[in-house]
Amino acid sequence: MGAYRMILLLLLSAPVLATAPVEPPHAYCVAATKAQVPPKVLYALALQESRAALPSGVKPWPWTLNIAGEPWRFTDRDKACRALSLAVEVVDPKRIDAGLGQVNIGWNGSRFGSLCEALDPQKNLLVSAQILREHYESTGDWVAAAGRYHRPAGGEPAARYRSEFKVHAARVLRVSVNDVPTALGAL
């Protein structure tokens, strides 16, 4: 009978555990506000782009690179910067993404004062929020904007990304995945 009660308790508490509050850290709020993006949308996007399993939970990781489809996580900004500097010498910059928002260096590198500024968390978040806002202005929908953030041309890759983004947004917003569009529309 004890095992039955334990299983029942776990099943009954599962929705509560799945909807634990997730508040964006201050840096996300600052960048999002400057770009007129809801902070929770920017945080959900960063979770989608650079999440890492840390002892404190799953969080975006600032020193993340994606080089030709391979994710790389570094322990500090200097190591990530050295790797980024080497990568642009051997890989087309359009195949390199950097930082919390995984900003594409080939398409959006000019938004940074230097290559390694793409790894400055605050600047990366601001650029990510600006790009997201630009896509929102053309779509009027945060989920569609997230899909275009990943792949402006749309298609199946953008559709997959939208589905994955909605999972992170649901966690941050504390709603079901199906309720994400309505919840985002209310922000």
Side-chain angles (χ1 to χ4, degrees), residues 161-177:
Y161 189 91
R162 287 191 305 269
S163 294
E164 294 166 4
F165 169 79
K166 287 191 328 189
V167 170
H168 297 292
R171 179 176 156 231
V172 171
L173 295 166
R174 296 180 289 169
V175 299
S176 74
V177 171

Side-chain angles (χ1 to χ4, degrees), residues 111-174:
R111 295 177 187 244
F112 300 103
S114 68
L115 184 62
C116 288
E117 189 181 33
L119 294 163
D120 174 80
Q122 193 64 52
K123 181 65 176 182
N124 188 279
L125 287 173
L126 180 59
V127 169
S128 298
Q130 290 168 339
I131 295 167
L132 186 59
R133 179 67 194 186
E134 291 163 12
H135 290 300
Y136 176 78
E137 287 175 2
S138 68
T139 65
D141 177 284
W142 290 115
V143 175
R148 288 194 180 173
Y149 178 94
H150 176 69
R151 183 139 191 273
E156 186 55 35
R160 275 192 310 274
Y161 189 91
R162 287 191 305 269
S163 294
E164 294 166 4
F165 169 79
K166 287 191 328 189
V167 170
H168 297 292
R171 179 176 156 231
V172 171
L173 295 166
R174 296 180 289 169

Side-chain angles (χ1 to χ4, degrees), residues 14-187:
V16 173
L17 294 173
T19 60
V22 177
E23 289 301 319
H26 181 71
Y28 292 82
C29 298
V30 170
T33 300
K34 285 181 182 176
Q36 298 179 319
V37 171
K40 290 184 177 189
V41 172
L42 181 60
Y43 190 66
L45 183 93
L47 281 169
Q48 173 65 22
E49 290 290 343
S50 65
R51 72 187 171 279
L54 305 171
S56 59
V58 175
K59 301 204 166 114
W61 187 248
W63 303 295
T64 300
L65 298 176
N66 187 304
I67 302 168
E70 289 292 320
W72 296 82
R73 286 181 180 75
F74 297 88
T75 55
D76 60 53
R77 183 178 174 188
D78 289 339
K79 289 176 184 162
C81 181
R82 283 194 299 274
L84 179 57
S85 297
L86 289 171
V88 297
E89 297 297 323
V90 295
V91 176
D92 179 355
K94 290 179 181 167
R95 299 197 66 214
I96 302 171
D97 303 324
L100 289 162
Q102 291 294 279
V103 175
N104 184 273
I105 298 303
W107 293 108
N108 293 295
S110 63
R111 295 177 187 244
F112 300 103
S114 68
L115 184 62
C116 288
E117 189 181 33
L119 294 163
D120 174 80
Q122 193 64 52
K123 181 65 176 182
N124 188 279
L125 287 173
L126 180 59
V127 169
S128 298
Q130 290 168 339
I131 295 167
L132 186 59
R133 179 67 194 186
E134 291 163 12
H135 290 300
Y136 176 78
E137 287 175 2
S138 68
T139 65
D141 177 284
W142 290 115
V143 175
R148 288 194 180 173
Y149 178 94
H150 176 69
R151 183 139 191 273
E156 186 55 35
R160 275 192 310 274
Y161 189 91
R162 287 191 305 269
S163 294
E164 294 166 4
F165 169 79
K166 287 191 328 189
V167 170
H168 297 292
R171 179 176 156 231
V172 171
L173 295 166
R174 296 180 289 169
V175 299
S176 74
V177 171
N178 291 335
D179 291 336
V180 165
T182 301
L184 290 176
L187 295 178

